[in-house]
Amino acid sequence: MIPRHSSGTIERMRPVGAFVAGVLTQVSQAAKPGVNLVELDALAHDLIRQAGATSCYIDYHPSFGGSPFGKVICTSVNDAALHGLPHDYALQAGDLLSLDFAVSLEGWVADSAVSMIVGGEGQPEDQRLIDTCERALAAGIAAAVPGNRLGDISAAIGAVSRAAGFSVNTDFGGHGVGRTMHEDPSIPNDGTPGTGPVLKPGMVFAIEPWLMHGTDEIYTAEDGWTLMSADGSRSAHVEHTVAITKNGPLVLTERS
Ligand code: MG
């Protein structure tokens, strides 16, 4: 059963969406060469405290996690694809950094991710990977309209990804979001158009394509959390929290 929210409730989700967007903007601006991943986590933690928000990550301990996450932001560098546990590492120019961040504020959750090249200039192939993820996200969001089916979102993401020459891992993808970080449905990053539940106004989804250069397989690092690309190739990951409304998709985590 996919939860649906009134338009009034979706209005009440705007503050958490704006907060998540603002934190990702501030943390990505701070992610300069020489800055340590634990400093980025501390910055995000300070911003959470100032806002009176609650981290969705710090106590998160699902079956696939080795222990409670213990940090408030995911920092996935280079061949770390998803769930990067912040650790003692100073960023270098040209690193491909993905930040993934979710909090609860006033009872509602938003979840968003951004990928960037540290120091601005990196390998053209890495920029292409990021650009492809962003185009896949835009295509997925464009499909998030009433009357479409869930498979249309998945198919739109997969089509952009595959057309750019990347294979798609469907083990981890998007999800419903509302009172908690992970709600029904799960939204694989590839699928068949015209299949699955019909999309209706009031559904709120985290849509999150991620891609690796050379593989669609991952393994878990020794920290018990960070998911690494199987072949050591680099990865990118972008995400927005999107409400389906009768006027079309409303991106709650849009960065200004
Ligand atoms: Mg996320």
Side-chain angles (χ1 to χ4, degrees), residues 103-133:
V103 298
S104 174
L105 182 68
E106 297 163 8
W108 299 101
V109 172
D111 189 358
S112 186
V114 61
S115 280
M116 59 180 284
I117 293 174
V118 175
E121 264 188 65
Q123 299 165 24
E125 273 300 290
D126 287 347
Q127 192 58 55
R128 194 176 82 87
L129 191 69
I130 295 170
D131 293 345
T132 303
C133 282

Side-chain angles (χ1 to χ4, degrees), residues 37-38 41 69 71-75 83-88 223 226:
L37 298 179
V38 295
D41 180 71
F69 192 70
K71 304 289 185 186
V72 302
I73 192 165
C74 295
T75 55
H83 306 162
L85 185 65
H87 60 284
D88 179 15
D223 65 18
T226 307

Side-chain angles (χ1 to χ4, degrees), residues 57 74 99-102 110-113 175 181-182 206 208 237 239:
Y57 290 172
C74 295
L99 303 167
D100 189 355
F101 184 68
D111 189 358
S112 186
H175 47 89
M181 179 166 59
H182 289 136
E208 49 176 321
H237 173 215
E239 175 178 19

Side-chain angles (χ1 to χ4, degrees), residues 233-248:
S233 64
R234 290 182 171 199
S235 173
H237 173 215
V238 298
E239 175 178 19
H240 274 309
T241 294
V242 181
I244 294 172
T245 80
K246 64 180 185 350
N247 300 319

Side-chain angles (χ1 to χ4, degrees), residues 74-253:
C74 295
T75 55
S76 301
V77 181
N78 295 338
D79 59 333
L82 295 174
H83 306 162
L85 185 65
H87 60 284
D88 179 15
Y89 173 78
L91 290 166
Q92 298 179 27
D95 278 346
L96 201 172
L97 171 66
S98 300
L99 303 167
D100 189 355
F101 184 68
V103 298
S104 174
L105 182 68
E106 297 163 8
W108 299 101
V109 172
D111 189 358
S112 186
V114 61
S115 280
M116 59 180 284
I117 293 174
V118 175
E121 264 188 65
Q123 299 165 24
E125 273 300 290
D126 287 347
Q127 192 58 55
R128 194 176 82 87
L129 191 69
I130 295 170
D131 293 345
T132 303
C133 282
E134 288 179 346
R135 287 192 296 112
L137 177 58
I141 292 170
V145 295
N148 266 2
R149 289 181 181 266
L150 191 65
D152 294 318
I153 297 176
S154 298
I157 294 168
V160 169
S161 306
R162 283 182 280 101
F166 299 107
S167 54
V168 179
N169 176 298
T170 52
D171 293 340
F172 292 89
H175 47 89
V177 57
R179 287 289 188 191
T180 62
M181 179 166 59
H182 289 136
E183 300 188 352
D184 280 342
S186 68
I187 310 171
N189 284 331
D190 201 1
T192 307
T195 63
V198 175
L199 305 181
K200 295 179 178 167
M203 295 176 176
V204 181
F205 296 160
I207 301 175
E208 49 176 321
W210 60 283
L211 291 169
M212 299 173 284
H213 275 304
T215 182
D216 58 9
E217 294 183 15
I218 50 177
Y219 69 95
T220 305
E222 282 181 11
D223 65 18
W225 272 102
T226 307
L227 299 178
M228 312 290 295
S229 74
D231 65 353
S233 64
R234 290 182 171 199
S235 173
H237 173 215
V238 298
E239 175 178 19
H240 274 309
T241 294
V242 181
I244 294 172
T245 80
K246 64 180 185 350
N247 300 319
L250 171 65
V251 180
L252 291 164
T253 48

